[in-house]
Amino acid sequence: MKTRITELFGIKHPIVLPGMSWISKPELVAAVSNAGGLGILATGPLSQEETRAAIKEIRELTDKPFGIGATLLMPGAKENAKVGIEEQVPVINFSLGKGDWIVEQVHAYGGKVIATVVNEKHAKSAQSIGADALMVTGHEAAAHGGDVTSLVLVPAIASAVDIPVIATGGFADGRGLTAALALGADGVAMGSRFATSQESALHNDVKQVITTKSENDTIYSKNFDGLYARVLKTPASIKATKKPMNFALALFKSVKAAKMVDLPFWKLIAGVFVQFDKIKQLSYFGAATEKLEAATITGDLTTGVQFIGQSQGLINDVPSVAVIVERIMAEADDVINKLASQS
């Protein structure tokens, strides 16, 4: 299947693995790229040295195009993006920040840039600075989706810009891919679907729980990490989203996240006085890290919280990435053929 996304990135299928912290690791990234899609490494929890090592590992596992993600609001993200530029990674995906410098430096070596957006204003802004494609994140998505559902957001943004659109949020099978193309997208990103693959670093116990849940078993709340986010509905996440965390406690817990990306604590504290709102948000992010790690890495859903999209209602098994991609493309072809026969 050829679309503007497959042509832009030199991939076989218009399917993308988004960068999911603690999940989108080299093995999963390479598996998606080897299957014909575009795998994107999550650099959020990584230091610069770890990011460089992960890029090297991906290149040992695949000779296909891949990318890295950089959530620019997060500590260490800019430094990790610079590592990606130094390593001339084929694709860099940025979000939550100004990425004009990324576009300029990536284009200098012939790479491509994807900007993640949740509204038309940011989509147009990303296009104006030269982003090559947009990852448009709808309300159904895991973690930080937008306020508008993909059914409306994708065609609205696709009509407002000229660059290719990757639809994200609610897509987990061939029907979703076909629907996204009909809405004006040029491909899809499927985080929750790939998170529940054999190659995913997500704990197996959590994978199995997800296969038993429906599309109704999620919570969308601002109280978990300071931004509206969608998580798996469990007693622990109900408790974690009941009310915002006390800021002083969040700041204390954020020290762990700062250490994780080699951010000196004095910079964190100094930022409270210089950019209070930004550091307040970073503190909530840092405080949430502990619960996210508990679920994702150790499989503890009694205290941990797991990001997941509403598409979990479409997920009922844990196959390999190759099987997932093959199945999606076969389903999409079947849907397209059935629609053609009815016309």
Side-chain angles (χ1 to χ4, degrees), residues 225-239:
D225 69 359
L227 293 179
Y228 280 103
R230 189 173 299 282
V231 299
L232 179 67
K233 187 176 183 179
T234 64
S237 65
I238 292 173
K239 181 179 179 180

Side-chain angles (χ1 to χ4, degrees), residues 39-52:
I40 297 178
L41 172 74
T43 66
L46 305 181
S47 67
Q48 294 173 60
E49 292 74 18
E50 290 169 332
T51 295
R52 200 178 302 275

Side-chain angles (χ1 to χ4, degrees), residues 43-85:
T43 66
L46 305 181
S47 67
Q48 294 173 60
E49 292 74 18
E50 290 169 332
T51 295
R52 200 178 302 275
I55 291 170
K56 179 181 178 181
E57 184 177 352
I58 293 168
R59 285 181 162 144
E60 291 173 348
L61 295 171
T62 184
D63 60 359
K64 301 294 193 296
F66 69 95
I68 70 166
T71 304
L72 298 179
L73 178 63
M74 295 293 288
K78 292 181 180 179
E79 290 74 14
N80 281 334
K82 290 176 182 177
V83 169
I85 291 168

Side-chain angles (χ1 to χ4, degrees), residues 4-15:
R4 290 192 296 171
I5 284 296
T6 62
E7 295 295 306
L8 179 65
F9 299 127
I11 57 179
K12 185 177 180 181
H13 305 304
I15 298 175

Side-chain angles (χ1 to χ4, degrees), residues 234-302:
T234 64
S237 65
I238 292 173
K239 181 179 179 180
T241 57
K242 189 173 183 180
K243 61 181 180 179
M245 181 179 292
N246 176 274
F247 172 58
L249 178 60
L251 182 61
F252 174 76
K253 286 181 173 289
S254 70
V255 174
K256 181 178 180 181
K259 288 181 178 179
M260 181 174 63
V261 295
D262 292 339
L263 178 71
F265 182 63
W266 69 265
K267 285 189 176 182
L268 189 68
I269 293 299
V272 172
F273 300 100
V274 179
Q275 292 178 295
F276 178 77
D277 289 341
K278 181 177 180 180
I279 296 302
K280 182 178 180 181
Q281 180 59 65
L282 290 177
S283 297
Y284 286 127
F285 274 157
T289 295
E290 186 176 47
K291 293 184 181 297
L292 291 168
E293 284 184 316
T296 304
I297 298 174
T298 69
D300 178 12
L301 289 175
T302 60

